[in-house]
Amino acid sequence: MKIEIWSDVMCPFCYIGKHNFEQALEKLPFKNEIEVEWKSFQLDPTLDAAKPQNTIEYFRQKKGLPADQASQMIGQVAQVGKGAGIDFNFEKALIINTFAAHKLLHLAKKYGKSDEMEDALFKAHFTEGKNVGDIEELVSLAGNSGIDKDEAREVLTTDQFDYDINQDIQEAKNNGISSVPFFVLNGKYAVSGAQPSEVFADALQQTYKETVSPFKNLSQEGASCDTDGCSI
């Protein structure tokens, strides 16, 4: 059974959704029969790769909110993350164009290291405050994951995987996917947002038993991020 997951590195609910999804998957008797493929999605492709921004200031401008209200909303997301065992340090997180990070994810996919690289990028961005748009930072993350640094640098400084990333983004548009995380289960069912692990478990079990087309949401809308920002 194949699970396709559209995600962006700077989406906090994608990080939470990944954690909850993996918790659900770990408890299922057919977990070894499931193939997970991560798909690229950019929440804000207009961001400058050379000019990182403060998270609270970016969120304030994006939502048109006073700074204190933006901080409060971000604090709520951090609390949700804490419940999932994730430490969000939004005061350190840098908002940046994530296209280069997606190039590294596609390289990791080539070596069967997608899950590991997703975690590394989420942690680097949300917990450690690293610039995930910086080439040398990404090369270092590649090396830490056992990927050749020279190959990573070549990928990050050429147009390798650009087509693949754009194809993922176009596929999302074609399927009406406008927010992430978005999970497509065996090409039939869809689950949107950072759902609790129990919801993921039910959806996976149902999909495993049934064949239904086209996509059908198996849950209520969960917390997610779209091009206008993150919902609370």
Side-chain angles (χ1 to χ4, degrees):
M1 189 166 84
K2 186 173 183 178
I3 313 298
E4 297 165 292
I5 309 172
W6 273 264
S7 172
D8 194 11
V9 175
M10 70 173 190
C11 164
F13 291 116
C14 292
Y15 196 4
I16 295 169
K18 181 180 190 295
H19 180 275
N20 292 348
F21 171 79
E22 290 175 341
Q23 272 199 328
L25 190 60
E26 189 60 31
K27 298 175 182 178
L28 298 177
F30 51 86
K31 64 181 181 180
N32 293 330
E33 300 176 49
I34 292 181
E35 172 194 355
V36 176
E37 180 180 4
W38 290 91
K39 298 275 195 175
S40 295
F41 189 98
Q42 280 201 286
L43 290 169
D44 191 347
T46 68
L47 288 168
D48 190 332
K51 296 180 180 178
Q53 299 181 40
N54 172 272
T55 295
I56 293 177
E57 180 61 21
Y58 173 81
F59 191 62
R60 184 189 69 78
Q61 293 179 357
K62 193 76 174 177
K63 289 286 192 180
L65 299 172
D68 58 344
Q69 189 174 349
S71 297
Q72 182 181 7
M73 293 181 72
I74 287 174
Q76 291 173 356
V77 178
Q79 285 299 315
V80 175
K82 186 175 292 186
I86 298 171
D87 291 322
F88 284 112
N89 291 322
F90 286 110
E91 69 279 2
K92 295 171 62 177
L94 301 173
I95 299 298
I96 196 74
N97 190 296
T98 57
F99 197 85
H102 284 291
K103 289 166 74 73
L104 185 58
L105 286 167
H106 276 270
L107 176 61
K109 185 188 297 187
K110 174 182 172 182
Y111 293 106
K113 294 177 177 288
S114 293
D115 286 341
E116 180 182 343
M117 187 57 69
E118 286 281 350
D119 273 333
L121 284 164
F122 280 137
K123 183 178 180 181
H125 176 63
F126 285 114
T127 302
E128 299 171 346
K130 293 180 179 178
N131 183 347
V132 295
D134 180 77
I135 300 302
E136 292 308 314
E137 196 70 72
L138 293 173
V139 168
S140 178
L141 288 175
N144 292 341
S145 297
I147 296 172
D148 183 78
K149 288 186 176 182
D150 290 335
E151 182 179 7
R153 185 174 287 105
E154 181 179 358
V155 164
L156 292 164
T157 54
T158 64
D159 63 357
Q160 292 186 59
F161 297 117
D162 287 16
Y163 175 82
D164 305 80
I165 294 168
N166 288 322
Q167 281 294 103
D168 284 352
I169 293 170
Q170 186 59 50
E171 188 178 353
K173 290 179 180 177
N174 293 344
N175 288 323
I177 299 170
S178 59
S179 64
V180 287
F182 195 91
F183 302 75
V184 175
L185 314 183
N186 219 27
K188 300 299 179 182
Y189 283 140
V191 174
S192 61
Q195 299 289 347
S197 60
E198 295 80 10
V199 172
F200 282 121
D202 289 343
L204 288 164
Q205 289 171 326
Q206 185 172 340
T207 305
Y208 189 74
K209 296 175 182 178
E210 300 178 13
T211 302
V212 180
S213 183
F215 293 166
K216 178 182 178 182
N217 262 310
L218 298 182
S219 62
Q220 299 296 318
E221 289 293 325
S224 63
C225 298
D226 60 22
T227 55
D228 291 322
C230 297
S231 62
I232 304 299

